[in-house]
């Protein structure tokens, strides 16, 4: 429990700092913008709490500051000056190479599957192939859910998922306690 | 063993994952090799067939009497159901959901990265009443030299061997259905319908999953929603043949234990949705659902926090500077001195009240001078904000 506690602690700290950093010039942002900022800062804080040890955290941060992102400036502001962002630099390069590898592997696999289905079509009814298909489908879904999931192979996908789930839980707990605390203050 | 596991901290995802999976498998093996130690409170004993009976079943698959003899196990299992209260296991819920499949896989010798999926499919196959052609293909995969696994494998193999005959299929079906009614089993001979194997297999599996669903719904009170999810998944993916996974007679002790641990966890936690049913595809399903629900919760909570009524009374300036002045190291929060007016700072201001009281004493113990009412809500925050300078000093950089 202590490790989870310190994770929450760190997350909260970084979240507050992120919120601080990306204060807006206009005082009354719309509620959706506020929500976006809150969520983004929370996500980035959660990812940075991992300090680059996990793939999903790196991918999340890299995603937040990549060029095509609408909130890039926001994320950059949250992350702070460029001197502190030592963790995010190595992600895009590695990710691209890995992505190519994954793509080529997928092409190979698909061609082999096509060959296999041509040769032995009636055996598709075997439970093993069905199971493989199902598991593969779910793996795809999982990959789409986890940030940077496309870059992981089977085993690391599961590990990353676990870490991501833990972080998400911590994040949800902290946010929930904040929300309830604020509600109490409103009542008083 | 469970105590040791509950003391294991989580330094990193990678090593702990492997480490805990090994621990889990060790735990499982210990529990398997000592079946008679537990009373009916542990369903491992209930599900565990004595070795002699297993051997008999293995060598005489067409014998019906043995099927009948093993039926009381299911009956016991259903009757005196008790979730194993391994708190250590329950706490590590998410991790275990995966390593129920993975741990067993890692135990078996796997050479290729895709072996895990193959072996998990082999695990699935153990419970699937597949055609005899499958028996030969999956047996090499499950030929594990360890003694502890042999019980499981033998049972699963005998399940497969039994599955080769339609009569035994029906027998196990009947055992499932009768597990809820009668202690003995009626076996209907279906030899004449051997030509219609596919429909027969389909029907067998459908009956199995229905019985299984009923059993689950009896066991877990609030489980209807999750079972509805799984039914939907089944129908959408047309997994009728895999329905046999959910057989409670699946003597893969590994999956059963994790399954019931999760049901226990599910019962305890009203909010979180962590039920789980065995099988790799279903484990992944569960994980996906969990991740999605967590992400949705984050969205919802961030929206909720955005609606917090902003009171611009406080700012974080006063929040942090007194701290840094008195009790914290100088270089801890260099960026905190920046003035800030943030609409949501009202929440921070709330914390600030407590923090003012804090560092008049020590920093570690939050003081509840003013607001004893909201203790349980703010405990987390304040303990979170009790900046342990030794641990977190200077680590502001992202």
């Amino acid at each position: 429990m202590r490790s989870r506690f310190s994770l929450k602690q760190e997350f909260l700290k970084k979240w507050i700092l992120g919120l601080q950093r990306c204060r807006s010039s206009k005082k009354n942002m719309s509620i959706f913008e506020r929500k976006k900022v809150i969520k983004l800062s929370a996500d980035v804080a959660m990812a940075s709490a991992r300090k680059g040890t996990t793939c999903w955290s790196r991918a999340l941060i890299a995603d937040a500051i990549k060029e095509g992102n609408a909130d890039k400036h926001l994320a950059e502001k949250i992350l702070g000056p460029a001197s502190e962002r030592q963790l995010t630099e190595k992600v895009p390069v590695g990710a691209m190479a890995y992505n190519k590898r994954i793509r080529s592997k997928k092409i190979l696999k698909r061609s082999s599957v096509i060959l296999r289905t041509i040769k032995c079509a009636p055996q598709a009814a075997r439970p093993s192939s069905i199971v493989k298909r199902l598991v593969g489908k779910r793996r795809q879904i999982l990959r789409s859910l986890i940030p940077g999931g496309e870059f992981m192979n089977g085993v690391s996908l599961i590990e990353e998922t676990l870490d991501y789930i833990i972080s998400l839980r911590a994040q949800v707990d902290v946010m929930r306690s904040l929300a309830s605390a604020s509600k109490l203050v409103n009542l008083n | 063993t469970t105590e040791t596991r509950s003391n294991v901290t989580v330094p990193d995802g990678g090593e702990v994952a492997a480490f805990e999976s090994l621990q889990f498998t060790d735990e499982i093996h210990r529990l398997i090799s000592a079946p008679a130690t537990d009373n009916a409170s542990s369903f491992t004993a209930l599900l565990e067939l004595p070795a002699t009976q297993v051997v008999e079943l293995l060598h005489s698959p067409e014998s019906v009497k043995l099927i009948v003899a093993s039926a009381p196990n299911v009956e016991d299992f259903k009757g005196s159901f008790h979730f194993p209260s391994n708190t250590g296991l329950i706490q590590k819920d998410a991790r275990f959901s995966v390593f129920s499949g993975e741990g067993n896989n890692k135990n078996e010798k796997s050479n290729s990265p895709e072996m895990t999926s193959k072996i998990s499919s082999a695990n699935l196959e153990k419970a699937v009443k597949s055609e005899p052609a499958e028996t030969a293909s999956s047996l090499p995969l499950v030929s594990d030299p360890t003694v502890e696994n042999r019980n499981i494998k033998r049972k699963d193999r005998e399940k497969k061997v039994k599955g080769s005959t339609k009569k035994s299929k029906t027998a196990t079906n009947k055992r499932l259905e009768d597990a809820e009614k009668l202690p003995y089993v009626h076996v209907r001979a279906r030899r004449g319908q051997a030509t219609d194997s596919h429909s027969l297999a389909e029907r067998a599996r459908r009956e199995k999953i229905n019985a299984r669903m009923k059993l689950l719904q009896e066991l877990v009170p609030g489980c209807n929603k999750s079972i509805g999810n799984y039914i939907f998944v089944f129908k959408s993916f047309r997994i009728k043949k895999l329905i046999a996974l959910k057989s409670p007679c699946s003597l893969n002790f590994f999956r059963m234990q994790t399954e019931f641990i999760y049901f226990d966890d599910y019962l305890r936690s009203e909010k979180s949705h962590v039920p789980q049913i065995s099988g790799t595809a279903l484990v992944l399903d569960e994980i996906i659902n969990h991740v999605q629900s967590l992400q949705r919760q984050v969205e919802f909570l961030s929206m909720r926090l955005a609606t917090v009524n902003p009171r611009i009374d406080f700012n974080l300036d006063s929040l942090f500077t007194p701290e840094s002045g008195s009790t914290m190291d100088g270089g801890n929060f260099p960026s905190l001195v920046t003035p800030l007016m943030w609409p949501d700072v009202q929440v921070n201001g709330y914390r600030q009240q407590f923090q003012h009281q804090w560092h008049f004493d020590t920093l570690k113990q939050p003081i509840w001078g003013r607001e004893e009412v909201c203790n349980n809500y703010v405990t987390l925050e304040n303990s979170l904000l009790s900046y342990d300078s030794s641990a977190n000093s200077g680590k502001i950089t992202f």
Side-chain angles (χ1 to χ4, degrees), chain A residues 5 9 13 17 21 34-35 39 48 84 126 128 131 138 158 164 169 172 176 178 181 184-185, chain B residues 93 98 124-125 134 233 281 285 290 295 297 299 306 347 350-351 377 381 383-384 387 392 396 398:
Chain A
F5 170 78
Q9 206 169 337
K13 251 194 342 187
L17 288 174
R21 283 191 182 133
R34 284 228 300 263
K35 174 240 177 191
K39 179 167 188 297
S48 59
E84 299 174 358
R126 295 179 55 166
S128 55
V131 167
R138 280 159 176 82
I158 302 291
Y164 187 57
R169 277 198 183 171
V172 165
R176 190 180 290 155
L178 257 187
L184 281 171
V185 171
Chain B
D93 36 10
V98 175
L124 296 174
E125 278 188 32
E134 260 62 62
V233 164
D285 244 6
H290 200 48
Q295 284 176 340
Q297 280 185 32
E299 294 265 348
V347 183
Y350 173 62
R351 282 197 302 274
Y377 290 100
E381 288 192 69
S383 44
L384 288 179
Y387 297 107
N392 304 322
I396 311 168
F398 279 93

Side-chain angles (χ1 to χ4, degrees), chain B residues 3 61 82 134 149 196 200 202 242 250 265 280 284 384:
Chain B
E3 286 82 355
H82 176 76
E134 260 62 62
N149 276 338
D196 206 1
L200 198 66
E202 286 240 356
L242 288 182
S250 139
D265 192 18
T280 301
L284 286 178
L384 288 179

